Amino acid sequence: MQTEGKVILITGASEGIGAACARLFRARGARICLTARSEDKLRTLAGPRDLVIPANLTEPGAPARIVETALSHFGTIDVLINNAGAGLYTPAHSGTDADARRLFDLNVFAPLDLIRNVAPHMKRRGSGSVVNISSIAGMVALPWFTMYSATKAAMISMTNGLRIELRNSGIHCMTVCPGYVRTNFQHNLLAGTVPPALGPMKQRWSISADQCAVAVLRGIDRQARTVVTPASGWLLVAAASMFPRLVDRQLESIWLRESRQSEESQP
């Protein structure tokens, strides 16, 4: 898919992966629609021809308003990139119902609402792309990130089903599963703290937001089904599939080490 002249709607566009995608697609000649909660950050990032729509995706009616505003301004939406999301570093067995619901509202139901609003337009045109930013954690559940993993697994399943639902309408659906991306994501959590024991893992598997954006662009260009970035993340996915008990034990050892460190740090 050639992106020059195409209209790209990006959620969570004020920083991180969303901002990197905006810069990259703009450089490729695309027309950009940016949405996030912070209007100031969006204005700082936006180019002179970009459309800025400040919005909280979890507010009733917000996804419909965003799509309607973008269509009114540009006349079309060629690519929807569902990137907005949040993390939750509390155990599933002891976390709060309110935090879990907030997480699913933002990470799953808001993207679904946007898709439901943009799909009729794309179906009428007979073309379009839906890109859902998931995570390697959605392919291999991480015990320090259980509820987040659940939301990202839901995104993968939803995208796989949508791909079949919409293929005959000319709409391509793609999942992007990054590993650890060096952004401010870890500072914008709904609850919990980042486990110190993950430090070495983050260094080994991390990529920049710009690298992730390149992977998104390449995936759209070749109409990929699933993009894992870095590509070495496929090794973890394959290991979890072929040797699930071994991977479980490795993840458990990290989880137990983190639990001990947390207990020792408490007064």
Side-chain angles (χ1 to χ4, degrees):
M1 174 183 175
Q2 295 297 318
T3 56
E4 185 173 0
K6 302 296 185 182
V7 175
I8 317 291
L9 169 57
I10 307 171
T11 71
S14 61
E15 57 185 328
I17 296 171
C21 284
R23 291 191 296 269
L24 182 59
F25 282 95
R26 187 186 303 115
R28 287 281 296 263
R31 295 177 289 169
I32 309 297
C33 176
L34 309 173
T35 185
R37 288 178 301 174
S38 173
E39 182 173 2
D40 290 342
K41 289 183 178 180
L42 289 174
R43 296 292 179 192
T44 299
L45 169 71
R49 298 191 304 162
D50 294 350
L51 174 64
V52 170
I53 308 176
N56 181 342
L57 292 177
T58 62
E59 289 183 353
R65 177 175 63 82
I66 291 167
V67 171
E68 182 179 326
T69 302
L71 289 175
S72 177
H73 182 86
F74 289 116
T76 188
I77 296 173
D78 297 290
V79 180
L80 166 64
I81 301 180
N82 275 316
N83 166 70
L88 180 64
Y89 279 97
T90 55
H93 69 276
S94 60
T96 69
D97 184 64
D99 284 341
R101 291 182 182 278
R102 287 172 61 204
L103 190 71
F104 269 85
D105 281 344
L106 179 58
N107 289 10
V108 179
F109 292 113
L112 176 60
D113 202 353
L114 281 161
I115 292 167
R116 286 173 170 168
N117 278 279
V118 81
H121 165 72
M122 290 183 174
K123 289 177 72 174
R124 286 193 297 269
R125 294 180 62 240
S127 65
S129 293
V130 173
V131 179
N132 290 327
I133 307 297
S134 179
S135 170
I136 288 179
M139 306 179 85
V140 181
L142 305 178
W144 52 87
F145 222 20
T146 301
M147 295 309 300
Y148 176 82
S149 297
T151 64
K152 294 305 182 179
M155 286 293 285
I156 293 171
S157 294
M158 183 170 70
T159 310
N160 289 342
L162 284 166
R163 185 181 304 109
I164 300 169
E165 291 180 19
L166 298 173
R167 180 177 291 137
N168 287 336
S169 299
I171 303 171
H172 177 67
C173 298
M174 179 178 81
T175 309
V176 179
C177 297
Y180 181 84
V181 184
R182 297 187 295 274
T183 67
N184 288 327
F185 174 84
Q186 309 293 341
H187 303 291
N188 297 305
L189 304 175
L190 296 185
T193 57
V194 182
L198 300 184
M201 181 179 293
K202 289 189 295 185
Q203 293 299 321
R204 189 179 307 118
W205 299 93
S206 68
I207 59 171
S208 68
D210 289 330
Q211 287 173 308
C212 187
V214 169
V216 172
L217 175 62
R218 289 175 177 171
I220 293 174
D221 282 347
R222 60 188 176 88
Q223 290 203 312
R225 184 178 187 275
T226 303
V227 173
V228 173
T229 180
S232 56
W234 281 115
L235 297 175
L236 175 60
V237 175
S241 177
M242 294 185 292
F243 311 106
R245 291 178 184 272
L246 175 61
V247 172
D248 279 358
R249 284 197 293 270
Q250 292 297 318
L251 294 175
E252 182 183 11
S253 69
I254 297 173
W255 170 246
L256 291 175
R257 185 165 68 250
E258 165 56 26
S259 297
R260 285 194 295 270
Q261 289 182 1
S262 297
E263 290 174 358
E264 292 171 357
S265 64
Q266 293 178 359

